[in-house]
Amino acid sequence: MDIKRELNLTIFTFAVISVVLGVLFIVFNKGFASAVPYIVGAIVIIDGAYALFTYFTRKQLGFSNNFALAQGLIDIALGILIICSTEFFSTAFGILVGVFLLVWGLFKLNIGINIMKSAKLGVVDISESLLFIVSGILLLIFSKQALEIIVIVLGASMIAIGLFVAVKTFIINKKIYNLKKKVGETIVETTKAANEPTDIVETQVADDENK
């Protein structure tokens, strides 16, 4: 298998996986959203357990670190709380993300307005900031469904990326094929042009000999 075919196969596989995962995220958004708190809680608990392991290991070596002990206990307690309160975590997560997007959107809006005043530009910044502001307000309003919304947006993004990569690869391959074809035709025409004078000379020599 040549490099080009192997590269195309890899890109095609990535595009298919991206589109399939995106469809699964959209179709089963509630299932993925409900699994997020458990995954986050498990990660936090594992981090806390590792911090405790580090604390006791270093303590045996004579290097006591009270910060690692506090971090381990807090992480384990927080992880258990997240797993036991998945609905609260989902709502709190939506509120936090909504507030972040809203504040970030207002910050970028201020920058865009200042740029527009000074240089008559900033339309892109203002449009982007309005998108952040609207997204933040929607997440605050629908904070309970925030994880489901995020999963759907993530799925749609994965589908868009997969399709974009597939189409872009097809276009590039077509351009390469047309370029190779054009180069091949140019080489053939050049070769023919290089052979034509020889043919003419040979024909003229043959005519002179016959005479």
Side-chain angles (χ1 to χ4, degrees):
M1 183 180 294
D2 58 3
I3 297 177
K4 178 185 174 183
R5 188 173 300 176
E6 186 175 353
L7 181 61
N8 287 334
L9 180 61
T10 303
I11 295 175
F12 176 75
T13 304
F14 168 79
V16 171
I17 293 175
S18 180
V19 172
V20 171
L21 288 177
V23 173
L24 291 176
F25 273 38
I26 293 176
V27 175
F28 303 103
N29 60 85
K30 291 184 179 180
F32 283 105
S34 61
V36 170
Y38 295 101
I39 296 173
V40 173
I43 293 174
V44 174
I45 291 174
I46 292 172
D47 182 69
Y50 176 76
L52 290 179
F53 174 77
T54 303
Y55 168 77
F56 288 111
T57 302
R58 292 181 178 178
K59 187 177 181 180
Q60 292 178 355
L61 298 175
F63 300 98
S64 180
N65 186 0
N66 294 328
F67 177 77
L69 176 62
Q71 179 187 355
L73 294 175
I74 292 173
D75 283 350
I76 291 176
L78 181 62
I80 294 173
L81 180 63
I82 291 173
I83 292 176
C84 295
S85 306
T86 56
E87 186 175 353
F88 173 77
F89 171 81
S90 300
T91 304
F93 180 80
I95 293 174
L96 289 175
V97 175
V99 170
F100 172 77
L101 291 177
L102 182 60
V103 172
W104 180 251
L106 292 173
F107 174 74
K108 287 189 69 65
L109 180 62
N110 183 42
I111 294 176
I113 292 174
N114 291 330
I115 293 175
M116 182 172 288
K117 287 181 179 179
S118 59
K120 304 298 181 181
L121 299 173
V123 177
V124 176
D125 294 294
I126 292 178
S127 302
E128 186 179 356
S129 64
L130 292 176
L131 179 62
F132 280 117
I133 292 172
V134 172
S135 300
I137 293 174
L138 289 176
L139 284 179
L140 289 175
I141 295 174
F142 303 101
S143 57
K144 291 184 178 180
Q145 295 82 22
L147 285 177
E148 296 178 15
I149 296 173
I150 292 173
V151 170
I152 292 174
V153 172
L154 180 61
S157 301
M158 294 176 71
I159 293 175
I161 291 173
L163 293 177
F164 174 79
V165 169
V167 172
K168 196 70 175 179
T169 304
F170 175 79
I171 293 174
I172 292 174
N173 285 330
K174 190 173 181 180
K175 287 183 178 180
I176 293 174
Y177 172 78
N178 292 333
L179 181 61
K180 285 183 176 180
K181 186 177 179 181
K182 186 176 181 180
V183 171
E185 292 176 352
T186 303
I187 292 174
V188 171
E189 291 176 357
T190 304
T191 305
K192 288 182 178 179
N195 291 333
E196 281 179 0
T198 304
D199 296 338
I200 294 172
V201 171
E202 291 178 352
T203 303
Q204 290 178 349
V205 171
D207 292 341
D208 293 337
E209 290 178 352
N210 293 329
K211 291 179 181 179

